[in-house]
Amino acid sequence: MTDSPILVLGSNGKTGRRIVQRLTEKGHAVRNGSRQTEPPFDWGKPSTWDAVLQGVSAAYITYAPDLAIPGAADAIGTFVQRAVDEGVPRLVLLSGRGEEEAQRCERIIQREDIQWTVVRASWFNQNFSEGAFLDMVLDGEIALPAGEVEEPFIDVDDIADVAVAALTEEGHGGQIYEVTGPRLLTFAAAVEEIARATGRPIRYTQVPSEAFAAGLGKAGLPRDIVWLMNYLFSTVLDGRNAQLSDGVRRALGREPRDFSEYARRTAATHVWRLAS
């Protein structure tokens, strides 16, 4: 442990805030990186990058909204070079499974002059409780163009645990941890797990990709988010990620959390409870 802070980009996000909490509980100094922090960090404003990098001992890099967005690799390349120039010795990148642009970003970070670690993940369990699908769960119908493709949903708490280990422990340098849950589930099966945990009737409905994207646009979501969701469902969710991996076990020496555990734990928080 050092007195130098660990930089966590996206510190208000699903993975970032969990990483900040874990690092703080372990006694590490943390520098939050977001547009609301001081100094602020904004991927769209490279002028904000140098200040957050000064004097940090490690950095967790997550790119918003996703590494698949065109131009992400250029931004990652510039940021990594600035981190190296500032003398940051350790970088941990959150990457995407089955995303060509994300793998390009992984190659950028794989440098001999730093300790790098890649945490490669796909669909988060928490998308159903903290992300785009929460309102659907509350409405009782999750309408997505997911088909019968199986996905090894990963718990964000597992991602955070792996990232914290890579940021603070030795032995993780040069590793690509492809993290998945312990079993494959279709989106329909995941919805059944949530319905069982909540005791509410929640159904999955298959919709065409075009209708799904049009609905997102009508709901007022930003254009890049609409593009990303359409890309993930129409391109990445084609079966390429329908296999388990041992990333959590290799990094932490334990098995990943199961989706049913996530559903029970989340139901107990009442986030899926309908307003009375």
Side-chain angles (χ1 to χ4, degrees):
M1 189 182 302
T2 71
D3 293 331
S4 301
I6 296 173
L7 172 64
V8 179
L9 299 185
S11 54
N12 295 327
K14 293 184 188 70
T15 62
R17 62 183 176 82
R18 288 172 167 85
I19 292 169
V20 168
Q21 179 182 6
R22 284 160 168 75
L23 291 173
T24 302
E25 289 173 350
K26 289 176 177 290
H28 295 278
V30 178
R31 179 173 295 163
N32 295 327
S34 75
R35 287 188 292 249
Q36 292 76 41
T37 55
E38 185 57 45
F41 176 85
D42 188 337
W43 277 113
K45 297 179 180 179
S47 60
T48 66
W49 300 357
D50 291 340
V52 299
L53 284 166
Q54 290 177 2
V56 302
S57 60
Y60 173 72
I61 303 172
T62 178
Y63 185 85
D66 193 274
L67 291 177
I69 295 292
D74 292 336
I76 291 294
T78 302
F79 181 84
V80 169
Q81 185 57 55
R82 291 197 187 181
V84 171
D85 292 343
E86 286 289 343
V88 182
R90 183 178 299 193
L91 301 177
V92 177
L93 174 70
L94 178 63
S95 185
R97 271 185 114 207
E99 299 177 16
E100 181 178 344
E101 189 77 0
Q103 266 86 78
R104 182 182 171 193
C105 294
E106 292 178 12
R107 292 191 290 273
I108 290 170
I109 203 173
Q110 293 172 11
R111 301 171 54 129
E112 294 183 357
D113 50 355
I114 55 174
Q115 292 187 59
W116 60 266
T117 307
V118 170
V119 183
R120 187 188 289 167
S122 189
W123 292 98
F124 299 167
N125 296 349
Q126 280 75 8
N127 287 337
F128 292 99
S129 52
E130 301 174 25
F133 308 150
L134 173 58
D135 288 341
M136 294 185 189
V137 175
L138 294 175
D139 289 341
E141 180 182 20
I142 299 178
L144 298 171
E148 294 298 316
V149 175
E150 293 183 315
E151 175 68 25
F153 292 93
I154 179 69
D155 198 295
V156 173
D157 285 310
D158 284 334
I159 297 175
D161 287 344
V162 172
V164 168
L167 288 166
T168 62
E169 301 173 1
E170 297 302 320
H172 301 285
Q175 296 294 317
I176 297 177
Y177 292 126
E178 189 162 293
V179 295
T180 70
R183 61 186 171 121
L184 296 169
L185 290 167
T186 63
F187 273 76
V191 172
E192 289 179 4
E193 295 271 5
I194 294 172
R196 188 177 303 113
T198 60
R200 290 178 45 217
I202 305 171
R203 67 181 183 276
Y204 170 81
T205 301
Q206 173 72 17
V207 297
S209 298
E210 298 78 8
F212 176 68
L216 294 178
K218 290 180 181 178
L221 270 69
R223 183 177 300 177
D224 58 349
I225 298 297
V226 174
W227 180 91
L228 173 62
M229 295 299 290
N230 189 56
Y231 166 78
L232 291 175
F233 279 107
S234 64
T235 304
V236 178
L237 196 67
D238 61 357
R240 70 184 66 183
N241 291 330
Q243 62 271 332
L244 305 180
S245 187
D246 63 352
V248 173
R249 189 184 316 115
R250 286 199 297 117
L252 303 175
R254 64 164 175 80
E255 296 302 311
R257 296 171 173 89
D258 189 75
F259 191 91
S260 60
E261 176 188 345
Y262 153 76
R264 291 192 300 269
R265 188 176 70 240
T266 304
T269 70
H270 306 307
V271 68
W272 288 326
R273 176 178 290 181
L274 296 175
S276 56

